[in-house]
Amino acid sequence: MPTALITETAHGPRIDAVNDLGRAAGATPGMMLADARTLCPDIAVTPSDPTGDLDFLEKLALWAQRWGPWSALDPPDGVLVDVSGASHLFGGEARLIEDVHTACAARGLAARAAIAPTAGAAWALAHFGAKIGYSECILVRQDDAMRMLADLPVAALRLDSNVLTVLRRLGLKSLGDLAAIAKGGSGLDGNVSEASGRDALKRRFRSKSPTANPLIRLDQLLGKVPEPLLPVIAQTMPLVQRRLMEPIRHRSLLDQVLSDLAADMARELEGKGEGARRLELGLWRVDGEVLVRKLELAAATRDAAHITRLFTNKLEDVDAGFGIEIVRLRASWSEPLALGQGDIEIAAEQHGTSLAACIDRLTVRLGPEAVRRPAARASHIPERAQVWVPPLDHQLASQGTLDFYHRPLKMLDKAEVISVLYASPDGCPQRFRWRGKVREVVRVEGPERIAPEWWRERSSVRLRDYYRIEDAKGQRYWIYRHGLVDDGRGGMPAWYLQGMCA
């Protein structure tokens, strides 16, 4: 039956893809679902899965490396494979294309394939070659590219929809039309001009983006401009397993197998110079059921004892049934972890539990939502320079650590208003009142000016001038003046105390 994949938008469901029956009924990708139902009331809809599609496309790109040394993604539905010097292994380009169709059909995939000297030419032939009657989409020589591709529509250049609309309005409907203009001759208005047609196109399409500039795409298709491609590289996740000679049912035997696997995993990770952040333990029972237990760590580790101890708490509810015959441990997420020098002092082993191990224990026992850790954030505003994040969050902000600024050891949760006496409106403070006591200022360092974040704040937000001061009793404070006199953003400046210095 007619079927479409849809995505929810602000204006309602929009069609992402449609099958042949739906397309025959009038539904097309990009159409609103309400409009499609007027043409085909019986169309069935299913939510699209962009993440799953990308995952499948990555796996398809890796599988497609059977025809060439490397491959690249061509979203949303294509894969580019470099077959340079590999076609003779299949008996020529025609046999290679035939093998592609046969292999894809065996896996239930409908594919259109083409071979050309450039990625742009191969894409154009694969998408539009059959529409102009090409039975075999094979372009061997680059010199024949324009002659073979001249009848293809301008949509074969992989341009944005608005650029295609402009080209059609200019009367450029095929690649041959565009190539004739790019070589020179009459201008885009139909009159003969002194400037070449290519210069006219440059003036009209000035974007540096290939998808918005037909000249760049045309040069890439003809091989005059290189087109960089990002190859897909398979990542092998560390995996260790045990195929047991006899199924096990007792917990003590399972703990022993887990301990051996953790030691094997530690050696695998050490050989790669990595540490595990997420581990998955799979238990295959005799009856075919698979039990999976996952573990996420606060910091990368390859400590076998620590891994075994954490998994022990997750195996309390395991039902072995008639026995477990395969146990597999996989590190689905790992990070670089440098080798550390072991402590040769025996007494140093009694130093206690590390912070990461403590966080892991609390997370396993209390849950990931019950534990938080501070992390730096890229902001010059003191109250925004740090944030509390879950311990398993791997996107901790490292770029916002302003180590070159001296910040007080203790920051107040909220800056408190103080009364300040000063010699001049923009001068240093001499005496201030805080929490009912007057403090004499004997030393001052500053100011350090911090401007508001213009991309987040309104234009009326005032500047801050921070001072590090010391009173007569030797206590040090971090205060700031909010605003300047006559800055046009409010009344007189206000003073605040935000931290206690060492």
Side-chain angles (χ1 to χ4, degrees), residues 57-272:
L57 196 62
E58 291 178 350
K59 296 178 180 178
L60 183 64
L62 294 175
W63 172 74
Q65 291 179 1
R66 58 181 291 172
W67 296 296
W70 64 268
S71 59
L73 298 181
D74 182 30
D77 58 356
V79 173
L80 295 169
V81 185
D82 182 15
V83 297
S84 301
S87 59
H88 70 280
L89 301 175
F90 299 87
E93 285 82 1
R95 292 288 185 88
L96 193 151
I97 290 288
E98 182 180 354
D99 186 73
V100 170
H101 288 292
T102 302
C104 291
R107 287 159 177 78
L109 300 175
R112 295 193 299 269
I115 297 180
T118 63
W123 191 95
L125 285 174
H127 285 77
F128 297 95
K131 296 182 180 180
I132 61 175
Y134 287 160
S135 58
E136 291 186 359
C137 296
I138 300 175
L139 176 61
V140 180
R141 298 181 57 187
Q142 185 63 47
D143 299 339
D144 300 334
M146 204 60 255
R147 179 183 58 81
M148 186 173 181
L149 305 177
D151 296 334
L152 296 181
V154 290
L157 291 179
R158 298 169 293 171
L159 297 170
D160 295 334
S161 58
N162 55 344
V163 179
L164 295 176
T165 301
V166 173
L167 291 176
R168 295 190 185 100
R169 290 176 180 175
L170 295 174
L172 305 177
K173 299 180 180 180
S174 66
L175 297 186
D177 298 338
L178 183 62
I181 290 292
K183 289 181 180 180
S186 61
L188 298 180
D189 54 0
N191 300 322
V192 177
S193 61
E194 296 180 358
S196 66
R198 188 176 183 88
D199 293 337
L201 287 174
K202 284 183 177 180
R203 290 194 300 270
R204 189 174 293 269
F205 302 99
R206 300 179 179 179
S207 176
K208 299 296 184 180
S209 174
T211 59
N213 194 323
L215 289 178
I216 297 178
R217 282 303 196 194
L218 183 61
D219 291 341
Q220 289 178 346
L221 182 141
L222 298 178
K224 299 179 180 179
V225 175
E227 181 179 357
L229 299 174
L230 186 63
V232 178
I233 300 176
Q235 290 185 347
T236 304
M237 298 298 177
L239 184 145
V240 293
Q241 69 177 8
R242 287 287 189 277
R243 294 182 178 271
L244 307 176
M245 297 182 62
E246 295 290 339
I248 59 175
R249 299 181 57 187
H250 301 288
R251 176 60 186 276
S252 58
L253 299 177
L254 180 60
D255 290 342
Q256 181 61 43
V257 174
L258 175 61
S259 178
D260 296 340
L261 286 177
D264 294 345
M265 177 60 69
R267 286 189 291 269
E268 289 284 337
L269 293 172
E270 185 176 0
K272 294 178 175 290

Side-chain angles (χ1 to χ4, degrees), residues 73 93 102 110 113 172 277 305 323 339 350 413 424 444 473 477:
L73 298 181
E93 285 82 1
T102 302
L172 305 177
R277 287 293 304 273
L339 296 175
Q350 308 299 326
D413 292 337
S424 61
V444 178
K473 296 183 178 180
Y477 309 91

Side-chain angles (χ1 to χ4, degrees), residues 18-27:
V18 63
N19 64 351
D20 293 337
L21 291 177
R23 193 181 298 272

Side-chain angles (χ1 to χ4, degrees), residues 399-451:
Q399 58 183 358
T401 56
L402 307 177
D403 297 333
F404 49 91
Y405 289 133
H406 297 287
R407 291 293 180 253
L409 295 179
K410 180 180 180 181
M411 296 280 290
L412 300 180
D413 292 337
K414 185 178 181 180
E416 300 182 8
V417 180
I418 59 176
S419 300
V420 173
L421 300 177
Y422 43 84
S424 61
D426 293 331
C428 301
Q430 296 179 348
R431 181 184 303 137
F432 69 94
R433 181 188 299 273
W434 177 54
R435 293 183 178 179
K437 295 183 180 181
V438 178
R439 291 168 172 80
E440 296 287 341
V441 178
V442 295
R443 292 184 179 86
V444 178
E445 178 183 347
E448 174 194 344
R449 177 161 294 181
I450 297 180

